[in-house]
Amino acid sequence: MSAVETVAVVGKPVKRKEDPRFIQGLGRYLDDIVLPRMAYLALVRSPYAHARVRAIRTDAALAIPGVLAVITGEDLEKAGLAWMPTLAGDRQMVLATGKVLFQYQEVAAVVAETREAAYDGAHAVEVEYEPLPVVVDPFAALRPDAPVLREDREQKTNHIWHWEVGDREGTEAALRSAEVVVKQDVRFQRVHPAPLEPCGCIADYNRGTGRLTLYVTSQAPHAHRTLLSMVAGIPEHLIRVVSPDVGGGFGNKVPVYPGYVCAVVASLKLGRPVKWVETRTENLTTTHFARDYHMTAEIAATRDGRVRALRVKTIADHGAFDAQANPSRYPAGLFSICTGSYDFPVAFAEVDAVYTNKAPGGVAYRCSFRVTEASYLIERTMDVLAAELGMDPAELRRKNFVRPEQFPYRSALGWTYDSGNYAAALDLALEMIGYADLRREQAEKRRRGELMGIGISSFTEIVGAGPSHSFDIAGIKMFDSCEIRVHPTGKVLARLGTRHQGQGHETTFAQVIAHELGVPVEDVIVEEGDTDTAPYGLGTYASRSTPTAGGAAALAGRRVREKARKIAAHLLECGEDDLEWVDGRFQVRGAPGRSVGMKEVAFAAYTNPPPGVEPGLEAVFYYDPPNLTFPFGTYVCVVDIDKGTSEVKVRRFVAVDDCGTVINPMIVEGQIHGGLTEGYGIAFMQEIAYDENGNCLSGNFTEYLVPTAVEAPRWETARTVTPSPHHPIGAKGVGESPNVGSPAAFVNAVVDALSPLGVRHIDMPITREKVWRILRAHGITG
């Protein structure tokens, strides 16, 4: 292999290093771990959404053979563990004390010798409930006569907080004086990440050493260690958190759940390892949901289609506890990216959060902290404006894009976009799909009474949380880290503070490090997920791994190279300034024949270091990004609607993404396919729904549908490349862009198809029943 071939790995479709173990069934997931003397834990859950707990009787459960202990909220209260802090600054019951606030809430924990005995014991626990009035509608929860759900709070209201950003008065003035104003109510329904592997843990307290090891399905092991120390009062150096292979996270495995705390308490009590793994229904009904935003957008514009102002009002349904996972400074996440790709002179956004009798949560489900809601809102409302003006939606977008020469661009709501060329992505997408021909075809079909729609979404994301000056979670600054050790033979071990859940980190980060050190990518092994070995980091979610840990990996590599330069100069008997880095080797300037590579340098670092230079070759870098990154793209969807069956068929879907410098195009392609498929499910299939009594109607995969390759459309993808100017290698992150950008494209296409009937908006999920009702309401029967 030549030197050039060795180092030119960034941008190459290197096969995923982790796949051989996964495709052979050799991954090691949480439930694969079996420890000596391990006990099992099952949770007793409430059948009611709102009820007082009058009594809990445990005698029958304790009499079941194999049951070792039953833990109640009263037991935890005595230990000061009845409540735990949430990431949003609220507090949440670990096990119910006094009353339950949502269906399936945790009421008691049963520990037994076997999993079966634990479930038998949970069924035998008798709980006496007194049902209370239920509130599932956040607007009803705000009425003065609504029952106060959180009686533990000083504030006797279901209103949690109000947050606003932007110029309220200036926006109001612009709306009042505008030639055209459109206003649209848009709901982004409650959905769930639904990872294939549910959440679980094994708490293993060693009475001999006083150390607690927690194996857990975690996207953020270090944050979990710190939070666990804060909740349980265990010194942090006596806690080790290990996140084994994780079968999908999508934000669902960021929070701390009551099951984790109960397993730790049980292990401390019994001095034995205790495993808890939730069921599919427990995962869907109790772990963190996403979205559930009720939004109203108003756009002021000129008659010729120039946007002048944006105003957004949102009611956020947070369920029983404010447990959403957002940076501390941003209670509504990064929702203020809602101006999107457009140059609004003025804008204002406000969000009010509300308690209801639903499961708590609010995570960055394949979305950087509420960006999906924001992107969906602006892309939906831009189509409403286009319809009002009688303009082509592509032309309206092009007319209002932030222009390339405006970057770095300061948005009306305060974000500084790093780089972008939105028109280029739009142009490429329209060219690929044959936009002009499709519009002509649509006109022909409409004359024949056929229903065909074209939907466009030109989204801008915001990822890479974050710069420590403004981003933290529970006070912990949001940087990330990488440690690189080069062994004497030139092989490399890299450890990072992130934790992948299938994204391909072991390959992507290896490519970055191989590029920086001039070694083959197969010589780099990447480790994550063990707090005893990895440097402190904030984990993997919100598309932050490449913008943060990717930057740390590049800069740790450069730090290694700084020391390697001293050793290379020693080996080549020249000054450091006489060396240049060429094709992954140190070469004496003007003497191409005199050079050494990292392998020779590494061996010398341990056998023949220069005088005064300490042996070894390693470095660690904590990367604190100066800004976020702003990936973007344009998606175009074409649908046909069968008037007889009401089926919406996605005929074509073109996705043009720009995530800056591409490290591995094959992995990027996989991320986009996965995210688009999730977006398709959200647009047409999915909602965590409740009836008026707070019963969850989406508790399994027959009610909460997950699209497979059979249902998913064929994705046509392409890229433009606009590097981030402040990232060490220009990368921006891509894992969540397709989930962020695609729902609006699907919905815009369906609304476009039905627009001849006067349809202006349809809330997701766009089920066949919804379309059927619209068609029948207009007398269309096929």
Side-chain angles (χ1 to χ4, degrees):
M1 182 179 288
S2 72
V4 172
E5 289 169 334
T6 300
V7 299
V9 291
V10 167
K12 302 295 184 186
V14 175
K15 288 185 179 178
R16 287 168 38 119
K17 293 160 70 77
E18 48 270 80
D19 279 353
R21 75 172 187 274
F22 290 143
I23 62 178
Q24 295 178 76
L26 299 176
R28 187 170 184 257
Y29 297 90
L30 187 279
D31 214 11
D32 294 324
I33 300 172
V34 178
L35 301 179
R37 300 179 65 243
M38 190 167 72
Y40 295 82
L41 183 144
L43 292 168
V44 179
R45 296 185 179 276
S46 169
Y48 295 99
H50 195 199
R52 297 214 181 277
V53 179
R54 292 302 185 190
I56 301 175
R57 288 180 281 276
T58 62
D59 293 351
L62 288 168
I64 290 176
V67 170
L68 300 170
V70 179
I71 301 169
T72 66
E74 191 176 322
D75 298 326
L76 295 181
E77 213 158 28
K78 292 172 187 170
L81 295 173
W83 295 76
M84 62 182 186
T86 70
L87 295 175
D90 196 359
R91 61 182 199 149
Q92 177 177 352
M93 280 184 260
V94 177
L95 295 173
T97 55
K99 69 176 187 176
V100 292
L101 288 160
F102 65 96
Q103 191 188 38
Y104 294 109
Q105 183 176 340
E106 301 82 2
V107 177
V110 177
V111 188
E113 295 284 1
T114 67
R115 185 171 286 169
E116 293 76 12
Y119 280 114
D120 288 346
H123 283 115
V125 172
E126 299 174 20
V127 185
E128 189 178 315
Y129 297 99
E130 177 191 341
L132 296 170
V134 173
V135 184
V136 294
D137 179 348
F139 294 94
L142 290 173
R143 292 175 191 148
D145 60 345
V148 175
L149 304 183
R150 291 288 303 279
E151 296 166 353
D152 59 291
R153 295 173 78 226
E154 186 178 334
Q155 305 93 324
K156 300 308 176 190
T157 171
N158 295 321
H159 183 261
I160 308 174
W161 46 256
H162 173 85
W163 177 79
E164 63 181 53
V165 62
D167 183 347
R168 180 190 287 268
E169 290 74 22
T171 303
E172 170 64 26
L175 285 162
R176 275 203 309 268
S177 62
E179 295 173 7
V180 178
V181 175
V182 294
K183 183 176 183 179
Q184 183 63 51
D185 293 331
V186 174
R187 184 181 180 226
F188 206 128
Q189 76 275 26
R190 178 176 285 225
V191 295
H192 196 280
L196 285 183
E197 181 196 27
C199 300
C201 71
I202 302 170
D204 182 14
Y205 176 65
N206 186 318
R207 285 177 174 167
T209 63
R211 287 204 88 195
L212 172 73
T213 300
L214 183 69
Y215 303 89
V216 61
T217 52
S218 173
Q219 295 179 233
H222 286 94
H224 276 165
R225 185 185 70 186
T226 301
L227 293 170
L228 180 59
S229 176
M230 294 164 65
V231 171
I234 303 171
E236 192 169 0
H237 69 293
L238 296 180
I239 302 174
R240 177 190 180 193
V241 173
V242 179
S243 180
D245 285 326
V246 180
F250 312 115
N252 186 239
K253 291 165 181 169
V254 172
V256 174
Y257 293 117
Y260 302 165
V261 179
C262 290
V264 169
V265 170
S267 184
L268 291 171
K269 181 183 176 77
L270 299 172
R272 296 175 57 174
V274 176
K275 176 186 278 189
W276 170 70
V277 178
E278 65 184 3
T279 64
R280 175 60 56 197
T281 293
E282 288 177 305
N283 181 256
L284 285 172
T285 58
T286 68
T287 60
H288 277 218
F289 69 90
R291 324 296 188 241
D292 216 348
Y293 262 30
H294 300 254
M295 306 171 282
T296 300
E298 297 171 89
I299 294 180
T302 60
R303 181 58 64 187
D304 66 352
R306 187 75 67 184
V307 297
R308 307 307 305 161
L310 171 70
R311 181 164 63 188
V312 174
K313 181 173 179 55
T314 294
I315 297 295
D317 186 343
H318 283 199
F321 306 98
D322 186 13
Q324 59 173 338
N326 278 328
S328 304
R329 186 174 167 181
Y330 302 98
L334 310 185
F335 184 68
S336 50
I337 195 70
C338 58
T339 54
S341 307
Y342 310 107
D343 186 17
F344 282 94
V346 65
F348 176 74
E350 58 185 331
V351 180
D352 287 275
V354 181
Y355 290 122
T356 61
N357 289 122
K358 299 176 185 172
V363 294
Y365 166 28
R366 209 157 182 166
C367 142
S368 185
F369 308 117
R370 304 293 187 185
V371 174
T372 303
E373 293 92 320
S375 176
Y376 178 64
L377 179 69
I378 187 63
E379 289 305 305
R380 194 68 275 288
T381 312
M382 287 298 281
D383 258 32
V384 172
L385 176 61
E388 178 70 22
L389 297 171
M391 283 185 70
D392 184 290
E395 288 312 306
L396 177 67
R397 285 171 167 80
R398 190 192 311 281
K399 191 165 193 170
N400 289 287
F401 279 152
V402 178
R403 300 185 306 279
E405 63 271 21
Q406 290 179 277
F407 292 94
Y409 169 78
R410 180 83 171 172
S411 78
L413 294 181
W415 297 111
T416 301
Y417 294 20
D418 57 353
S419 63
N421 188 342
Y422 304 144
L426 175 68
D427 289 344
L428 179 56
L430 297 184
E431 180 187 348
M432 286 177 62
I433 208 155
Y435 187 67
D437 290 342
L438 285 170
R439 284 295 182 199
R440 283 190 286 272
E441 178 191 346
Q442 182 185 48
E444 278 294 316
K445 288 193 168 182
R446 283 181 174 173
R447 280 192 282 274
R448 299 197 297 268
E450 298 177 29
L451 301 175
M452 168 188 167
I454 306 167
I456 299 171
S457 171
S458 289
F459 64 94
T460 287
E461 231 201 327
I462 173 172
V463 305
S468 65
H469 56 73
S470 53
F471 281 81
D472 73 273
I473 284 185
I476 306 168
K477 299 295 185 183
M478 297 189 72
F479 52 84
D480 229 294
S481 58
C482 177
E483 175 194 278
I484 295 176
R485 295 181 183 176
V486 185
H487 301 315
T489 56
K491 310 299 183 186
V492 180
L493 168 64
R495 290 170 167 149
L496 295 101
T498 42
R499 184 49 176 144
H500 73 84
Q501 313 112 49
Q503 293 93 334
H505 287 184
E506 294 174 28
T507 309
T508 303
F509 291 146
Q511 286 182 253
V512 172
I513 293 164
H515 172 80
E516 296 294 342
L517 298 184
V519 300
V521 68
E522 57 266 29
D523 285 357
V524 182
I525 188 168
V526 171
E527 286 185 2
E528 299 172 306
D530 187 337
T531 58
D532 266 11
T533 56
Y536 202 101
L538 268 292
T540 294
Y541 45 85
S543 279
R544 67 183 302 278
S545 292
T546 296
T548 55
L555 294 175
R558 292 172 196 177
R559 189 166 281 176
V560 168
R561 218 166 61 200
E562 288 173 16
K563 182 174 181 181
R565 175 182 289 272
K566 297 181 187 298
I567 300 170
H570 172 64
L571 293 176
L572 294 168
E573 298 180 334
C574 65
E576 290 179 50
D577 293 340
D578 296 327
L579 293 176
E580 55 186 353
W581 182 251
V582 180
D583 296 338
R585 295 177 66 84
F586 292 104
Q587 178 180 298
V588 177
R589 208 179 301 277
R594 295 183 62 202
S595 69
V596 292
M598 195 58 67
K599 184 175 181 179
E600 298 97 312
V601 169
F603 195 72
Y606 294 88
T607 61
N608 179 29
V613 174
E614 65 183 75
L617 190 58
E618 59 186 66
V620 61
F621 200 100
Y622 287 79
Y623 179 60
D624 185 3
N627 190 11
L628 297 115
T629 60
F630 295 77
F632 61 92
T634 287
Y635 296 164
V636 187
C637 176
V638 183
V639 302
D640 298 294
I641 299 178
D642 187 309
K643 293 186 293 184
T645 66
S646 307
E647 178 188 12
V648 177
K649 180 177 176 54
V650 177
R651 190 202 311 176
R652 291 186 65 192
F653 195 102
V654 166
V656 174
D657 278 275
D658 193 318
C659 57
T661 300
V662 174
I663 299 168
N664 186 320
M666 184 177 66
I667 288 177
V668 168
E669 188 81 354
Q671 292 275 25
I672 292 171
H673 279 226
L676 291 175
T677 304
E678 287 181 327
Y680 175 79
I682 290 169
F684 293 106
M685 300 176 175
Q686 298 175 342
E687 180 175 15
I688 297 292
Y690 294 83
D691 67 13
E692 66 276 13
N693 295 316
N695 296 308
C696 182
L697 306 177
S698 317
N700 57 61
F701 279 165
T702 65
E703 297 161 334
Y704 190 82
L705 304 180
V706 176
T708 69
V710 174
E711 292 84 23
R714 177 176 175 271
W715 311 119
E716 303 171 55
T717 63
R719 286 185 294 279
T720 57
V721 177
T722 311
S724 171
H726 62 78
H727 189 271
I729 58 173
K732 292 187 172 187
V734 74
E736 294 162 341
S737 293
N739 195 316
V740 169
S742 65
F746 292 119
V747 176
N748 287 345
V750 175
V751 172
D752 183 49
L754 297 174
S755 61
L757 307 179
V759 174
R760 185 161 121 157
H761 176 70
I762 310 171
D763 275 330
M764 298 183 292
I766 302 180
T767 61
R768 191 177 294 194
E769 179 188 350
K770 277 187 186 175
V771 176
W772 184 87
R773 291 185 184 282
I774 291 169
L775 295 178
R776 295 306 181 270
H778 290 82
I780 297 174
T781 57

